[in-house]
Amino acid sequence: MGLRLSPWGTENVVEYKRLFKYFGIKPFSEVLKELSRITEPHMLMRRGVVFGHRDFDKVITALKRNEKFSILTGIMPSGRMHFGHKMVIDQVIYYQQLGAEIFIVIADAEAYAVRKLDRGEIVNLAINDYLANYLALGLSTRNLHVYFQTNYERDYYRLIQLFSRKVTMSELKAIYGEELDPGKLIAVLTQMADILHPQLESFGGFNTVLVPVGPDQDPHLRLARDVADRFSSELGLKRPASTYHKFLMGLDGGKMSSSRPESFIALTEPLESAGSKIMKSLTGGRPTAEEQRKMGGVPEKCPVFEMLTYHLVQSDEELERIYWDCKSGRMLCGECKLMAREKLLRFLEEHQEKLGRARGVASSIANIPGF
Amino acid sequence: MGLRLSPWGTENVVEYKRLFKYFGIKPFSEVLKELSRITEPHMLMRRGVVFGHRDFDKVITALKRNEKFSILTGIMPSGRMHFGHKMVIDQVIYYQQLGAEIFIVIADAEAYAVRKLDRGEIVNLAINDYLANYLALGLSTRNLHVYFQTNYERDYYRLIQLFSRKVTMSELKAIYGEELDPGKLIAVLTQMADILHPQLESFGGFNTVLVPVGPDQDPHLRLARDVADRFSSELGLKRPASTYHKFLMGLDGGKMSSSRPESFIALTEPLESAGSKIMKSLTGGRPTAEEQRKMGGVPEKCPVFEMLTYHLVQSDEELERIYWDCKSGRMLCGECKLMAREKLLRFLEEHQEKLGRARGVASSIANIPGF
C-alpha cells in the first residue's frame, strides 16, 4: 500500500505543492503510515488523490482511542452529480464505516442566494440526484444527519448570528474578493456554522470534526479555524480537521465541470452516452501509435487513467499493471479506453439499478423546507 | 379630542416636517379622525406625539372589518428601560386591547453582535427589566409572542437567508453608512425578518402588520417595504404599516438617553432619585419669575411638560389647563415641578409594586436562549 504506488501517486502532487508552502496544508503522506497501522487507508489516500491535510492527527487519535468523531460534508446542488463529485462521498462512506457520525449539509441557502438557483430545482437536485447517488454508492442511513441550510435547528442559526460579531468585512474580502454581497456574506457565515456546529452539545458534542474537501474549499476551512479560535473560550470551539483531494481531470483535459457536458460523466449518465464520452476522451497518448509504442504513454496526464485511478479500479495491483502497460507502450489508448469503457458501464449499470430505491430513501430522510 | 389640542399638539411637529417632505411619511392627523370614528385614539395620538404614519389605512380597514392584525415591536436591551422607551409599549398595549396580536422581538443578536454587549446581561435586562416593565404597564400575555432573535423558529431564519439574495451592499451602505460590518449586516437582515415574518402562515399569516417606532427607525421600515415588494410574488409579502412618535426630551434638554443618567428616569428608578431628577430638570421657564409672570412659560420646550403630556396626565382637559396655566404665566416652574413630581412618584410607586409579579411572568413566557 501507499509507498509502493509512488510512481503515479506522488508526481501529480507537484501542482499542489504551493498549498503546502503558502497555506500550511501538510502532505497526507505524513499521516498515511500512522493511519495504516490502525486501518487500511482508503484507495484515494493510498493513491495520493487525498494529498494534504490539516490536523488529521486528531482523527488518528480518535480512531486509536475509539472516541467518537464526525465528518462534515456539503452538497451544492447545481448541475447533476458527476464523477468529479464522487471522491468526497467515497471518503465519507469510508469514515462512516470506521464509525464516524456523518453530517451532510445541503447548501440550499447558498445555492439560492449566491448562485441564484430556483428553490424547487435545488431541493429536487439535492434529494433525487446527489443524496440518492450518495446512498446508492453505499452511504448508510445510520449515524447520518442530512439537513438543509434553510431548515435546521436554532442553535445552528444562533452560531451564524454570534459569529457575525467577530469577523470583519476586510478579512472576508481578503478571502472571498472585493465583490462580497450580502448573499455571499451570509453564505460564508453559514458555512462557518456548518463546519463548526457538530461540536455543540445539541448536535452531539463532537470534539473531532473532519471536513474532506477539494483545495478550492480551503479558504472556508482557514476562516473556520480562525473563528473557532475566536470562540474557543466563549463556546469552547476547536479547530476542525480537514483533508484535501485532487480535482478529477475532465475528459476534455480541463477540470471536470457541469458547465461543459463533454468534460463530465454524470452518475446518472445513460450508458450509451457514458460509453461514447469516454471513447472520445482526451488521453495521455502520443500523436501516433508508433511513437507511443516507442516512448510509452503519459498516464499522469490522462483523463482516462484518472477515471481508472480515482474510480474504476479497486485493486492497486491491477492499476499498477495498467500504469506500466501504458508507460511502457505495451497498451495503446484504444485498447485502454475499451477496457475503461467496460468498467465504467459495469459500474454505472450496477449503480443506476440501486438509484430507484435510493431516491425513495433520500426523500424519506431529508427534511424538506416548508416554503 | 385631537383638533381641540392643536395648540400644543401640532407645534412640535414642525421639526419632523422634513420626514413628510423627504421620506413620504404622512401626517398622522390625516387618519386620526377616521380612527376616532371606530375607537377612541390613544392619548399619544390625540396629543400629536404619534405624528406620522405609513399605510395606517390598512390598520383602520382591519379594525373596520374586524380582521386580525398584528403589531411588531422590539426590545433593544442596552441600558435600563426609561420613560423615553415607554411610548412605544403604551401604543402596543392600546392595540392589544383593540384585539391585535403582539410580536415582541428581543434584539439579542443585534445587542451582541453590533453593540457588543454581554449575552448574560442582555437576557437579564430584556426579561427582568424591559419585558417585566411592559407587563407591569398592562401588556397582557394573551395574543402575545415574545421571542429572542437567537432562539426562534426556522421559517424566521429562512427569511433572513432568502432576503440576502435581493439586497445589495450599496443600498445597505446608502441606508446604514459605509462602515457596514458583518454584524450590522446580519442585524439588518434579521430586522427585515422581524418586521415581515408575522405575514408567514406559520406565524399566523397576518396581512396587516403595524410597526410603531421613533423616526430614527424609519430606515429599517423603508428597507422592509422594498424587501416586501421584491418578495411579493415569491413569498406573497406585503408592505408593513408604521407609525412614528416623537422622542421624549431628556430632563437635561437633549434626547432622553441611557448614556446620560441625568437625562432619564428609569421605570425602576428609586423614588427618591426620580423625585430629585425631576426637580432638577430643565424647564421652558423664563430667566426670572417676574419675566415668566409677564410673558408666560414655553411648555413646547419644557421636558417637564413633555413628561406630563407623554406619560403623567391622562386627562386631556387637565393637560390643557396646565398648558394654559404655564403659557399665561399663572403657574411658575417650581409649582409645576412639585405637581409633576407628585404624579411621577405616584405612578412609579404603583408601577414598581407590580414589578415583582411581572418579573415572574416575564421569565415564564420568555424562551431563553440555550447557550
Side-chain angles (χ1 to χ4, degrees), chain B residues 165-301:
Chain B
R165 169 160 159 170
K166 298 190 187 173
V167 295
T168 67
M169 223 47 135
S170 49
E171 74 175 329
L172 294 183
K173 285 183 177 172
I175 300 173
Y176 299 103
E178 281 297 317
E179 63 301 342
L180 189 75
D181 61 17
K184 181 77 187 160
L185 189 144
I186 297 262
V188 168
L189 289 172
T190 303
Q191 271 165 339
M192 296 305 105
D194 290 326
I195 293 170
L196 298 170
H197 84 278
Q199 298 185 40
L200 296 180
E201 275 312 315
S202 52
F203 295 101
F206 291 92
N207 281 326
T208 304
V209 182
L210 172 70
V211 191
V213 292
D216 60 324
Q217 299 299 307
D218 191 52
H220 297 303
L221 269 307
R222 289 201 300 277
L223 182 61
R225 296 168 74 81
D226 286 347
V227 169
D229 288 348
R230 291 169 203 169
F231 284 88
S232 65
S233 65
E234 188 169 346
L235 300 177
L237 295 182
K238 295 175 182 64
R239 295 178 171 191
S242 45
T243 61
Y244 302 86
H245 58 266
K246 297 184 199 169
F247 297 120
L248 179 65
M249 225 186 287
L251 302 178
D252 59 359
K255 186 186 161 192
M256 188 170 280
S257 162
S258 315
S259 58
R260 302 190 317 282
E262 291 313 302
S263 78
F264 73 84
I265 296 172
L267 292 188
T268 51
E269 194 90 26
L271 298 193
E272 195 179 350
S273 157
S276 145
K277 278 184 176 183
I278 202 156
M279 291 309 290
K280 287 185 199 150
S281 175
L282 279 193
T283 67
R286 306 288 174 181
T288 67
E290 190 179 357
E291 278 181 74
Q292 189 155 347
R293 280 199 196 87
K294 198 153 46 183
M295 304 166 65
V298 189
E300 294 83 356
K301 293 185 175 167

Side-chain angles (χ1 to χ4, degrees), chain A residues 93-361:
Chain A
I93 292 168
Y94 167 81
Y95 292 116
Q96 189 182 37
Q97 288 166 355
L98 289 177
E101 193 98 357
I102 310 299
F103 291 84
I104 299 182
V105 46
I106 297 171
D108 65 328
E110 180 174 346
Y112 174 81
V114 180
R115 308 216 179 187
K116 318 270 188 195
L117 304 180
D118 173 80
R119 293 198 288 132
E121 188 53 27
I122 290 167
V123 170
N124 177 40
L125 259 182
I127 303 300
N128 292 317
D129 196 81
Y130 285 81
L131 187 57
N133 276 315
Y134 285 14
L135 293 163
L137 286 169
L139 183 72
S140 161
T141 55
R142 280 195 53 215
N143 303 336
L144 176 65
H145 309 264
V146 179
Y147 68 93
F148 285 86
Q149 286 177 327
T150 69
N151 204 30
Y152 205 25
E153 307 299 327
R154 59 190 75 185
D155 286 358
Y156 167 78
Y157 298 108
R158 186 174 311 134
L159 280 188
I160 298 173
Q161 295 170 315
L162 299 186
F163 290 168
S164 76
R165 169 162 162 170
K166 299 190 188 173
V167 295
T168 68
M169 224 47 135
S170 48
E171 73 175 330
L172 295 183
K173 285 184 176 173
I175 301 173
Y176 298 102
E178 281 296 318
E179 63 301 342
L180 188 74
D181 61 18
K184 181 76 188 160
L185 189 143
I186 297 261
V188 168
L189 289 171
T190 303
Q191 272 166 339
M192 297 305 104
D194 291 325
I195 293 170
L196 297 170
H197 85 279
Q199 298 184 41
L200 296 180
E201 276 313 316
S202 52
F203 295 101
F206 291 91
N207 280 326
T208 304
V209 181
L210 171 70
V211 191
V213 292
D216 59 324
Q217 298 299 308
D218 191 51
H220 297 303
L221 270 306
R222 291 202 299 277
L223 182 61
R225 296 167 74 80
D226 286 347
V227 169
D229 288 350
R230 292 170 203 169
F231 285 89
S232 65
S233 66
E234 188 168 347
L235 301 177
L237 295 183
K238 296 175 182 64
R239 294 179 172 189
S242 46
T243 61
Y244 302 86
H245 58 266
K246 297 182 199 171
F247 296 120
L248 180 65
M249 222 186 288
L251 303 177
D252 60 358
K255 186 186 161 191
M256 189 171 279
S257 162
S258 314
S259 57
R260 302 189 318 283
E262 291 314 300
S263 80
F264 73 83
I265 296 172
L267 292 187
T268 51
E269 193 91 26
L271 300 193
E272 196 180 349
S273 157
S276 145
K277 278 183 176 182
I278 202 158
M279 292 308 289
K280 286 185 198 150
S281 174
L282 280 193
T283 67
R286 306 289 176 179
T288 67
E290 192 179 355
E291 279 182 73
Q292 189 156 346
R293 281 200 194 88
K294 200 153 46 188
M295 306 166 64
V298 189
E300 294 84 356
K301 294 185 176 168
C302 178
V304 177
F305 187 72
E306 280 214 346
M307 279 293 288
L308 297 170
T309 306
Y310 286 41
H311 299 295
L312 298 175
V313 177
Q314 304 306 310
S315 149
D316 291 350
E317 289 72 19
E318 182 185 355
L319 187 66
E320 202 163 8
R321 200 164 53 240
I322 295 168
Y323 177 83
W324 288 114
D325 281 352
C326 169
K327 201 80 179 168
S328 64
R330 273 194 299 274
M331 178 170 65
L332 300 191
C333 294
E335 184 188 345
C336 178
K337 276 178 166 177
L338 283 171
M339 177 262 296
R341 180 176 176 279
E342 199 198 311
K343 289 179 188 296
L344 173 66
L345 298 191
R346 205 186 313 138
F347 169 84
L348 284 179
E349 197 168 11
E350 251 180 58
H351 177 74
Q352 293 175 7
E353 270 176 25
K354 296 177 197 153
L355 264 182
R357 202 184 102 75
R359 288 207 174 97
V361 178

